[in-house]
Amino acid sequence: MGRDEIEVPDAWEGLVGALASGDPGTVLVLGESDTGKSTLVRFLADRLEEEGAVWRVDGDPGQASLGPPAALTAAPGSAEESVALRFVGSVTPTGHFLQTLTGLARLAELALDEKARYVLVDLPGYSEAGGYRELLFQVGDLLRPPHLISIQEDRELEEFLTGFEGRHGIRIHRLEPAPAVQPRSRSQRRRYREERFRQYFQDRREIELSLDAIGLHGMVPGSRRPKKWQDLLVAPCDEEGFALALGVVREIEPGSGFLKVEAPPFPEERIVSLQAGSLRLDPRTGEHRRS
């Protein structure tokens, strides 16, 4: 949903002024799923560019808008494609809290290193289940944002926000969900991910990697048996731990440690390590399941 598809609430316009007149830096956008977080972030990125450089960080590996699912991404301004990628390895932070926490921190750090005045971080959808609350609290504790935007309909996030109310330097902005936001069913969310995966892998090609020549990390299979690696979603990473691309293991040669991986074109000479995820993926259809 783009800015031209909704009627911009007056509160959003007021928020632009509040951010522009306050301290620059990281802005965390918090809310449950389907509350309009991503739409708000795009709106703010467009409007705040008048105040200086703006970067967006897409922190939702399940409903990614900047890059492929199973990853966290960042891009300058209103760009519609990511320029930096951190691999989570799943379409939910559950079971991948370390990858999510570190990925968000590294992407925000990168944006600030690139002289961003504002770094707009679209956090995963808030939930009381599965440790999400603690994950999001630790994200806030680590990034120490000057601004925390809470989108809530009926004070459902107030208990969480209490932990930040007394913190020095953090200003909390409360908004209601935009009226035009439409909830999506679980099946709609899954179809969205499948389409994003299909689009990402449409120009895939096969490359060969040696497991003995690069580092391995992430959810690494416990053996080199073919069935342990078949269709596994992986990410070749550079010297800074950023993903160069996402790939799908098509075959492992028994005894040799060579992987055949399908991935979009990327600079293979920059591979330092391979990060394994916990999803198995068909790149043709986008269908995916937990490993």
Side-chain angles (χ1 to χ4, degrees), residues 30 35 54 86 99 119 123 153 164 182 196 205 207 242 244 248 281:
L30 174 71
T35 54
V54 179
R86 291 286 300 200
Q99 293 91 331
V119 183
L123 293 171
E153 188 169 2
F164 290 95
Q182 296 295 321
R196 295 289 292 189
R205 58 190 177 84
I207 62 172
F242 288 94
L244 296 164
V248 177
L281 174 73

Side-chain angles (χ1 to χ4, degrees), residues 211 213-217 272-275:
L211 294 181
I214 56 178
L216 293 176
H217 58 106
V272 172
S273 65
L274 186 73
Q275 182 177 348

Side-chain angles (χ1 to χ4, degrees), residues 266-285:
F266 68 93
E268 298 175 39
E269 70 279 2
R270 294 182 56 196
I271 299 176
V272 172
S273 65
L274 186 73
Q275 182 177 348
S278 61
L279 286 183
R280 298 192 187 274
L281 174 73
D282 184 338
R284 298 166 301 174
T285 65

Side-chain angles (χ1 to χ4, degrees), residues 170-190:
I170 296 182
R171 183 177 177 186
I172 298 177
H173 308 267
R174 292 171 171 82
L175 298 177
E176 294 181 355
V181 174
Q182 296 295 321
R184 289 173 291 178
S185 67
R186 179 173 296 184
S187 62
Q188 287 175 318
R189 289 172 170 274
R190 185 174 186 86

Side-chain angles (χ1 to χ4, degrees), residues 126-236:
Y126 181 86
S127 171
E128 291 285 350
Y132 272 56
R133 177 172 172 168
E134 184 62 19
L135 168 66
L136 297 178
F137 184 87
Q138 295 298 333
V139 170
D141 191 44
L142 181 62
L143 297 186
R144 303 183 69 181
H147 302 276
L148 174 58
I149 300 172
S150 170
I151 304 177
Q152 53 183 329
E153 188 169 2
D154 189 27
R155 299 182 61 83
E156 61 270 15
L157 304 182
E158 287 303 310
E159 186 175 306
F160 175 83
L161 295 175
T162 300
F164 290 95
E165 283 283 8
R167 294 210 171 194
H168 178 72
I170 296 182
R171 183 177 177 186
I172 298 177
H173 308 267
R174 292 171 171 82
L175 298 177
E176 294 181 355
V181 174
Q182 296 295 321
R184 289 173 291 178
S185 67
R186 179 173 296 184
S187 62
Q188 287 175 318
R189 289 172 170 274
R190 185 174 186 86
R191 288 196 297 271
Y192 176 82
R193 291 194 299 268
E194 291 174 348
E195 178 59 26
R196 295 289 292 189
F197 275 133
R198 283 197 299 270
Q199 291 175 356
Y200 183 79
F201 283 103
Q202 63 183 355
D203 296 324
R204 67 189 182 276
R205 58 190 177 84
E206 187 174 273
I207 62 172
E208 190 171 77
L209 302 175
S210 171
L211 294 181
D212 297 323
I214 56 178
L216 293 176
H217 58 106
M219 316 301 282
V220 180
S223 77
R224 294 188 178 182
R225 289 185 296 169
K227 70 176 183 179
K228 292 287 187 179
W229 289 86
Q230 184 72 39
D231 299 329
L232 190 66
L233 188 65
V234 297

Side-chain angles (χ1 to χ4, degrees), residues 25-26 53-57 73-77 83-84 104-121 242:
T26 304
V54 179
W55 274 61
R56 295 155 57 202
V57 174
T73 53
V83 298
L104 289 171
R106 291 299 307 280
L107 289 170
E109 177 185 55
L110 172 67
L112 292 172
D113 286 346
E114 292 293 324
K115 309 303 181 185
R117 182 172 175 82
Y118 297 97
V119 183
L120 307 173
V121 182
F242 288 94

Side-chain angles (χ1 to χ4, degrees), residues 14-88:
L15 179 61
V16 172
L19 294 177
S21 62
D23 292 333
T26 304
V27 180
L28 299 186
V29 182
L30 174 71
E32 295 181 348
S33 298
D34 299 325
T35 54
K37 299 191 309 298
S38 298
T39 306
L40 174 63
V41 166
R42 287 194 294 269
F43 168 79
L44 292 175
D46 182 43
R47 293 295 301 276
L48 287 172
E49 283 187 300
E50 301 173 6
E51 305 296 328
V54 179
W55 274 61
R56 295 155 57 202
V57 174
D58 184 350
D60 189 342
Q63 298 295 293
S65 58
L66 277 177
L72 310 176
T73 53
S78 301
E80 291 302 320
E81 293 185 359
S82 62
V83 298
L85 189 70
R86 291 286 300 200
F87 186 51
V88 171

